Amino acid sequence: MISGEREEQYLGDLLLFVLIVILPIGQKKRIGLVMGGSIMQILVQKVPKNVYSDWLLNKHYAKRLCSVSYAYGLYIDGIIKGVITYGMSPSATLAESIAGDKYKKIVYELNRLITVDDLPRNVLSQFVTKSFKLLPKPIIIVSFADPNNGHNGYIYQATNFLYTGVSSNSIQYEYPDGKEFHFKNFRHKKHSTTFQKEVGKTKDQISNQDIIDFYDLSKKNIKGKHRYIQVLGSKTDKKLIMRNFKLDLLEYPKGVNKNYEVEFSDMEVQLNLFGG
């Protein structure tokens, strides 16, 4: 028998730590999380472009939009606390390298995962796994953790992604203010009649070095990123995909993660009642 005082303490500790109830609602997932004796209503649902764009531009360290095919928001008591987005793989070569030509069209990248910093314990991993349930199947998800920004990918480790090593080192060009100059802009500048007039050359005469000199770009060596893979689908789908899996499976990397904080006051935080 547990004494009344000990029983009360035990129940209090139980409430403090975790009780999760999942109620499927169409294409939404609602979670009731009991913390500190009160129930927080947690909802994972689709979000429209105007909602996820705010987070990508104002909260994520890259401060730019990316290719988005699917976007979901994490709502706690009707207030958005995070956004996760998935887009087509930016590289056809990468898509094919995972499980061959047969499966390259179902390779998507988890390209943004952004949340506030004070989430209750385990909610981030719940957010990721619940977003998986809303994606079409079968699907191969690739995501990268950037050690250049102090990230090792612990959230992917916590949600059972496969670790396949580090991508190749690369070169990045930056403006004097530190803003990234994308490689696609080399081609864009060469074809720009305005830029041709500015440098006094035709597109066939303009070299990459001309563009680098004109904008005073600096070259920066970038470490390769940690690459994680998740395979979602039926048991048969997973078996067939893994039979064709081409990448080596390695042990998870360890290290100290670095958080980044960006102030934002005009974010769209109210619950999107229509689910995007």
Side-chain angles (χ1 to χ4, degrees):
M1 293 290 291
I2 301 176
S3 68
E5 182 177 342
R6 288 184 60 195
E7 182 178 9
E8 183 177 348
Q9 181 180 354
Y10 171 79
L11 291 174
D13 290 342
L14 183 62
L15 288 174
L16 273 172
F17 279 99
V18 178
L19 174 66
I20 296 177
V21 180
I22 304 169
L23 301 174
I25 305 177
Q27 277 201 321
K28 306 172 184 178
K29 296 292 176 184
R30 186 182 301 276
I31 307 167
L33 181 64
V34 179
M35 297 291 287
S38 61
I39 298 178
M40 292 186 299
Q41 291 300 321
I42 299 178
L43 178 70
V44 178
Q45 67 167 39
K46 288 183 179 179
V47 290
K49 184 176 181 178
N50 65 306
V51 173
Y52 69 72
S53 294
D54 278 342
W55 284 76
L56 269 58
L57 293 173
N58 297 312
K59 180 67 172 172
H60 195 267
Y61 65 85
K63 292 184 178 297
R64 65 173 183 266
L65 296 177
C66 56
S67 171
V68 176
S69 301
Y70 308 99
Y72 307 104
L74 169 67
Y75 292 90
I76 299 180
D77 293 335
I79 303 298
I80 193 167
K81 296 292 185 177
V83 163
I84 187 170
T85 64
Y86 300 86
M88 293 295 294
S89 172
S91 167
T93 301
L94 169 63
E96 187 171 348
S97 72
I98 296 173
D101 181 72
K102 181 178 180 180
Y103 295 104
K104 67 182 181 181
K105 291 185 179 179
I106 64 168
V107 174
Y108 284 77
E109 182 181 4
L110 193 170
N111 45 25
R112 295 291 187 270
L113 174 57
I114 321 161
T115 66
V116 297
D117 295 326
D118 58 348
L119 285 181
R121 185 179 179 183
N122 297 328
V123 170
L124 180 58
S125 59
Q126 289 289 329
F127 178 30
V128 174
T129 55
K130 299 314 170 194
S131 74
F132 287 168
K133 296 182 183 298
L134 304 180
L135 291 167
K137 312 293 189 305
I139 190 171
I140 300 171
I141 301 168
V142 58
S143 195
F144 297 90
D146 188 358
N148 300 283
N149 287 284
H151 302 150
N152 294 288
Y154 290 144
I155 182 58
Y156 306 128
Q157 297 178 24
T159 48
N160 298 317
F161 274 71
L162 305 172
Y163 179 64
T164 61
V166 179
S167 61
S168 301
N169 293 349
S170 62
I171 294 172
Q172 177 179 300
Y173 287 94
E174 296 180 343
Y175 291 100
D177 63 359
K179 185 177 180 181
E180 182 181 352
F181 181 94
H182 295 286
F183 278 93
K184 65 182 180 181
N185 284 336
F186 282 115
R187 183 177 183 278
H188 172 74
K189 293 298 181 184
K190 291 178 182 181
H191 285 78
S192 167
T193 54
T194 300
F195 184 75
Q196 290 169 25
K197 292 178 181 178
E198 289 177 330
V199 297
K201 294 183 178 182
T202 66
K203 66 179 181 180
D204 295 326
Q205 296 172 328
I206 297 172
S207 67
N208 286 356
Q209 191 60 49
D210 289 327
I211 300 171
I212 292 169
D213 294 339
F214 185 86
Y215 289 105
D216 193 23
L217 301 177
S218 59
K219 185 169 71 171
K220 182 179 180 181
N221 293 317
I222 304 298
K223 294 179 182 178
K225 298 179 181 180
H226 297 297
R227 183 178 55 235
Y228 290 88
I229 308 290
Q230 179 69 267
V231 178
L232 302 176
S234 67
K235 289 183 179 180
T236 300
D237 289 332
K238 292 180 182 179
K239 183 177 180 180
L240 291 174
I241 291 171
M242 292 308 299
R243 185 180 295 169
N244 288 272
F245 203 80
K246 297 180 178 299
L247 301 176
D248 293 331
L249 301 182
L250 306 174
E251 292 185 3
Y252 288 145
K254 301 298 179 184
V256 178
N257 272 355
K258 172 185 174 184
N259 291 326
Y260 53 88
E261 294 186 15
V262 180
E263 293 296 328
F264 59 103
S265 57
D266 297 324
M267 303 284 288
E268 299 232 3
V269 298
Q270 294 302 320
L271 176 64
N272 167 35
L273 297 177
F274 297 100

